[in-house]
Amino acid sequence: MQQFFYDEQIRRFLLQFTRVFSNFQVEYGRTEDNSQKALYRVPVRYGDATRQAQTIIQQNSANSLPSTPLMTFHVTNLNYARDRIQEPYFVQKQNVRQRYWDTESESYETTQGNAFTIEKLMPVPFDLEVNLDIWTSNTNQKLQLLEQLLTLFNPSLEIQSTENFIDWTSLSVMYLEQVTWSSRSIPMGTDDPIDIATLRFVMPIYISPPAKVKKLGVVEKIVASVFDGNGDMAEAIFDSDLLLGTRQLFTPFNYQTLLIGNKLQVLETKAVVTNNSGVQVPTAPPSNLLWHTVVDLYGALRNGISQIRLDNPYDTSIIVGTVSYDPTDDRFLLFTVDADTIPANTLDAVNAIVDPQAKGPGTINGLPAAAAGQRYLFINDTGSNSTEDPGFAQAWRGTDGSALVANTNDIVEYDGTRWNIAFDSSNESNVQYVSNLTTSVQYRWAAGAWLKSYEGLYTEGNWSLVL
């Protein structure tokens, strides 16, 4: 597992230290026309140079001296601050919600974007000690610089290492602890070294371990009373009759969602959906509830990436599909199902679901002319019901004059001469799946009935949105 991390935390404090002293000047007489003072900006450098870099600066000569005036600084100590120790195992959780960023206009919108939870671990306190050396060629230069600098630290100067408002360690202060007037010794002897004044600073800083960033999504569900009397969660989680009470599932606002074809509609709990059972296609009820009003409470929906997950009503599997806003109607999401999460067909697809007592092969009977390979799923009996219209009964006869006798829920197939029963509902007890080529709806056969395998209404607690 990768353990390396580096956030340049100490380096950022040193960069801020550099900026504090980066715009000071000294006077170098007056300009040529004597109209104003000639000012020279004093450079600031980090003094902890490597041997190779120092050799280049000194032009590969031990006799080369740095030009003055100059300010350099270097770290002298980094001490663990025991007086500022707090609970080392404390974790602060912070919820952050962004404004939505429009990549096309490259601007922030007024709607909400992504939402995150940030878990910050307790940082480690340290005292960073830094010495600032002021190199001057005469006392006047030293006096000019010190007079500008020493007034800043009364009693201290606050610095900030980053503009990230989430970073609780970005602020620090600089305390001026000591001033060494000169590096020269008395008596001086025969050498004439550059005069260096040293200011010692202490900065209380924190070094933070990496934070944990979690992307927020919609609360999927809350499961209550998941243990039975034996404390066996593995069994109790799938049991609807628990000793401690019936499980309760919740979704935000207790909204429902209706899947018809490739469209999802969000509905209030009181909304009534008709034709949801059996082989009928549900009817979308009138509703002014918009998906944006639901999604924007939790983040931004990413078209083609965000998901809707539906709890399969027949087993413990999850139907997963990516979603995107319907560009023509905000009441709907376009749902692209992951084919690996839906059941595979066990029977060849049917051309349509028909009532054989109301329709038959041939244009005048409402269906295309009989052709080899055509398959239909019946929702009514034919050939054995005395009340059946004789015209439609005749329509299901083969070219050899054979009559078709089929029951409700049977699937029939034409072989080019006659209609045969391809799926006998009265003798089939296994679970079967078949798709309707006309509507692209998949159906499930079980317990003596055809039901939609995953399309239809999902009540509160049985669906979730993953942003």
Side-chain angles (χ1 to χ4, degrees), residues 102-113:
D102 190 335
T103 55
E104 295 183 359
S105 63
E106 296 187 350
S107 61
Y108 286 101
E109 302 292 337
T110 57
T111 57
Q112 180 180 293

Side-chain angles (χ1 to χ4, degrees), residues 331-453:
R331 295 177 302 160
F332 299 97
L333 290 179
L334 301 181
F335 183 76
T336 303
V337 67
D338 183 350
D340 293 334
T341 64
I342 62 175
N345 285 328
T346 58
L347 301 175
D348 293 337
V350 297
N351 295 85
I353 299 175
V354 300
D355 181 357
Q357 298 186 17
K359 288 185 177 182
T363 305
I364 61 173
N365 297 317
L367 295 176
Q374 285 180 346
R375 291 166 60 88
Y376 294 103
L377 190 158
F378 285 176
I379 59 172
N380 213 334
D381 299 337
T382 184
S384 60
N385 191 336
S386 59
T387 63
E388 182 180 1
D389 187 328
F392 290 115
Q394 291 296 325
W396 291 102
R397 288 183 177 273
T399 57
D400 60 355
S402 58
L404 173 63
V405 178
N407 298 317
T408 303
N409 296 322
D410 285 354
I411 295 177
V412 299
E413 182 175 355
Y414 191 64
D415 63 4
T417 302
R418 59 184 298 172
W419 291 95
N420 302 297
I421 297 178
F423 174 82
D424 187 353
S425 59
S426 61
N427 294 320
E428 184 62 61
S429 59
N430 296 326
V431 176
Q432 303 288 353
Y433 293 92
V434 68
S435 292
N436 184 350
L437 295 177
T438 301
T439 62
S440 299
V441 176
Q442 186 188 59
Y443 294 92
R444 179 181 187 270
W445 170 259
W450 286 105
L451 300 173
K452 292 175 287 295
S453 66

Side-chain angles (χ1 to χ4, degrees), residues 17 84 126-130 156 172-178 200-205:
F17 187 93
R84 290 188 285 120
F126 284 91
D127 289 330
L128 179 64
E129 298 182 9
V130 182
S156 62
S172 183
V173 292
M174 295 171 54
Y175 295 108
L176 177 60
E177 295 292 327
Q178 182 180 348
R200 186 171 73 88
F201 294 93
V202 176
M203 291 185 292
I205 66 172

Side-chain angles (χ1 to χ4, degrees), residues 167-239:
D167 184 1
W168 57 356
T169 65
S170 61
L171 292 178
S172 183
V173 292
M174 295 171 54
Y175 295 108
L176 177 60
E177 295 292 327
Q178 182 180 348
V179 176
T180 302
W181 180 260
S182 176
S183 61
R184 294 175 176 175
S185 58
I186 303 296
M188 293 178 53
T190 58
D191 296 333
D192 188 16
I194 295 177
D195 188 17
I196 302 175
T198 301
L199 280 61
R200 186 171 73 88
F201 294 93
V202 176
M203 291 185 292
I205 66 172
Y206 289 91
I207 300 178
S208 298
K212 183 184 294 185
V213 180
K214 297 180 179 179
K215 190 173 184 300
L216 290 179
V218 177
V219 177
E220 295 189 1
K221 63 179 64 176
I222 302 171
V223 182
S225 301
V226 297
F227 293 97
D228 60 13
N230 299 323
D232 187 355
M233 183 182 67
E235 295 296 332
I237 193 69
F238 300 113
D239 186 8

Side-chain angles (χ1 to χ4, degrees), residues 319-331:
I319 308 298
V320 180
T322 57
V323 291
S324 58
Y325 287 115
D326 188 333
T328 61
D329 194 338
D330 195 28
R331 295 177 302 160

Side-chain angles (χ1 to χ4, degrees), residues 26 34 44 78 100 118 143 148 154 216 235 283 319 364 381 389 438 445:
V26 294
N34 202 35
V44 182
L78 183 63
Y100 179 75
I118 300 172
L143 293 175
Q148 297 175 71
N154 182 27
L216 290 179
E235 295 296 332
T283 302
I319 308 298
I364 61 173
D381 299 337
D389 187 328
T438 301
W445 170 259

